[in-house]
Amino acid sequence: MAVKQVVLSFSLILALGFIPLLVFSAQAIPFERLESLRVVKKINKNGPFLGLITVYAPEEEAFFKTGVFKPNPRHPFVDLSGRRFRIGKVEGKKVIYVKCGVGLVNAAAATQQMLDLFDIKGIIHFGISGNANGSMQIGDVTIPGQLAQTGLWDWLKPNATMEPNDFAQFDFKSYNDPKGGENQLGKVGYSTEQFYSAAGEVNVPQRPVWFNITNNWLYVASHLQGIKLDQCANSTLCLPEKPKLVVGLKGATSNFFIDNAAYTQFLFKTFGVTSLDMESSAVVMTCLSNGYPVIAIRGLSDLAGTQKGDNTIRLFGSLAALNTAKVVIGFVKSLPISHVSRF
């Protein structure tokens, strides 16, 4: 009897001891988030899902305008951290869609949140981008095989020595107009990203320049080349040639909206990139870091400053977004169930 009382008393002490912790935990998490997490738990019972991540309103509007997204009748969406995650189906496959917002931080944060909270098997990222490649035109869609984060630079004095591990150099005085003289901006050296991943050594970053799209997803995408894309933004505004899809080129991402011919030409000459955007590498790096398959699909909306006159994104952004959406839908439809798996 005494032993039982001791056990009961000890149990009571443990229970009472944990009450403040439970109260603290409940108080630490806002009620709205707790409710959202309960919904997430219910949603995951119907998983797994493909993750769809786009960037801003025009891309979202073009995607939903196709009518291919069929919302889940019971749980059509859940709101988390100011973002709306929409649950539904595309071409019969279960998907969770979110608009991440412009820039590297938004893209990485939304991707990590999607991977952490939902039962996701892989992520399809899509949007519009600038074009640095003279063999491509506005309206074309590119699915890069490799992406670089071209926003990491060591900014140096005019005559400073470059870091030995810098991948590339951009010397401002080379672009002086008229030629000659010193440019006080000096030069910058491209520094590679510190990349931590499940496939690498723990707590030891790799230093890659390029981040590779998941191979078998890229293989599936390659069979979409020849897909019919729109040529006209409206009844009076059309492109001179029919747009095309090209798979396997390179892309660059940074927190710059690039509308400058000299810099665009430098990026193409130095890195050999076609698409220039502000999110793709962040999504791809986050997925690869966590060990998930990923692909990026970008429609070319402008010439990144190499055009005459104003940037054409306002004229052809909607067309590029619609062509991108068509390729996304084609990819989802073509993706075999066997390929929707963690790597």
Side-chain angles (χ1 to χ4, degrees):
M1 184 67 178
V3 173
K4 185 181 288 187
Q5 286 177 338
V6 169
V7 172
L8 287 171
S9 298
F10 183 67
S11 300
L12 184 60
I13 289 169
L14 284 175
L16 289 172
F18 278 119
I19 287 173
L21 292 176
L22 293 171
V23 171
F24 175 77
S25 297
Q27 289 175 341
I29 302 176
F31 175 76
E32 293 81 3
R33 185 170 180 81
L34 285 173
E35 285 298 305
S36 294
L37 293 176
R38 289 190 186 99
V39 175
V40 168
K41 187 176 181 180
K42 293 177 182 178
I43 290 167
N44 283 337
K45 290 180 180 178
N46 295 317
F49 301 88
L50 283 171
L52 302 179
I53 300 178
T54 195
V55 181
Y56 78 139
E59 298 157 344
E60 180 173 79
E61 291 163 6
F63 175 66
F64 285 114
K65 187 178 179 181
T66 65
V68 74
F69 181 86
K70 307 300 181 186
N72 185 301
R74 188 169 183 182
H75 298 296
F77 64 86
V78 59
D79 294 337
L80 288 159
S81 306
R83 293 187 178 91
R84 176 156 292 182
F85 292 79
R86 301 177 187 271
I87 296 85
K89 288 185 177 181
V90 171
E91 295 291 350
K93 295 185 174 73
K94 298 174 184 178
V95 302
I96 295 178
Y97 163 92
V98 70
K99 178 178 64 179
C100 67
V102 175
L104 292 164
V105 173
N106 276 324
T111 305
Q112 190 65 59
Q113 189 172 37
M114 182 176 275
L115 296 178
D116 284 345
L117 294 179
F118 296 98
D119 184 5
I120 297 294
K121 291 299 185 181
I123 284 182
I124 302 164
H125 170 61
F126 62 99
I128 62 176
S129 70
N131 173 33
N133 186 343
S135 68
M136 302 285 282
Q137 69 159 0
I138 293 170
D140 289 348
V141 178
T142 175
I143 300 180
Q146 294 181 307
L147 284 152
Q149 205 278 71
T150 52
L152 292 165
W153 299 93
D154 297 320
W155 203 307
L156 308 174
K157 295 178 180 180
N159 296 312
T161 302
M162 296 293 296
E163 292 290 329
N165 60 347
D166 279 350
F167 176 78
Q169 175 180 318
F170 184 62
D171 194 341
F172 292 107
K173 69 180 180 183
S174 299
Y175 296 86
N176 282 359
D177 190 16
K179 299 290 184 182
E182 283 296 317
N183 189 314
Q184 295 304 305
L185 288 173
K187 55 189 175 182
V188 292
Y190 175 69
S191 179
T192 52
E193 186 85 64
Q194 289 191 347
F195 180 61
Y196 295 85
S197 75
E201 188 177 346
V202 174
N203 215 37
V204 178
Q206 303 166 48
R207 300 301 297 261
V209 174
W210 299 104
F211 296 89
N212 297 321
I213 298 300
T214 303
N215 277 334
N216 61 350
W217 279 23
L218 203 63
Y219 175 78
V220 172
S222 69
H223 289 81
L224 295 174
Q225 293 181 119
I227 187 173
K228 186 177 180 181
L229 301 175
D230 285 6
Q231 189 171 351
C232 298
N234 53 50
S235 59
T236 60
L237 183 62
C238 293
L239 296 166
E241 299 178 20
K242 291 183 179 180
K244 60 186 178 295
L245 167 66
V246 179
V247 179
L249 300 176
K250 293 180 178 181
T253 303
S254 68
N255 273 329
F256 291 105
F257 177 83
I258 299 172
D259 191 26
N260 181 279
Y263 188 57
T264 295
Q265 290 162 2
F266 164 78
L267 288 173
F268 180 72
K269 181 180 178 181
T270 307
F271 293 90
V273 294
T274 294
S275 56
L276 307 175
D277 69 69
M278 301 172 70
E279 298 81 23
S280 291
S281 72
V283 175
V284 170
M285 286 175 60
T286 304
C287 289
L288 296 179
S289 178
N290 288 278
Y292 286 78
V294 63
I295 197 167
I297 301 172
R298 287 282 178 164
L300 305 179
S301 61
D302 61 90
L303 300 178
T306 61
Q307 76 286 340
K308 293 181 180 179
D310 294 336
N311 193 293
T312 57
I313 189 172
R314 291 176 181 83
L315 293 175
F316 293 107
S318 60
L319 175 63
L322 180 59
N323 282 343
T324 304
K326 287 188 172 186
V327 175
V328 170
I329 294 164
F331 178 76
V332 172
K333 185 176 182 179
S334 300
L335 193 62
I337 296 298
S338 61
H339 283 203
V340 185
S341 59
R342 278 189 193 128
F343 283 44

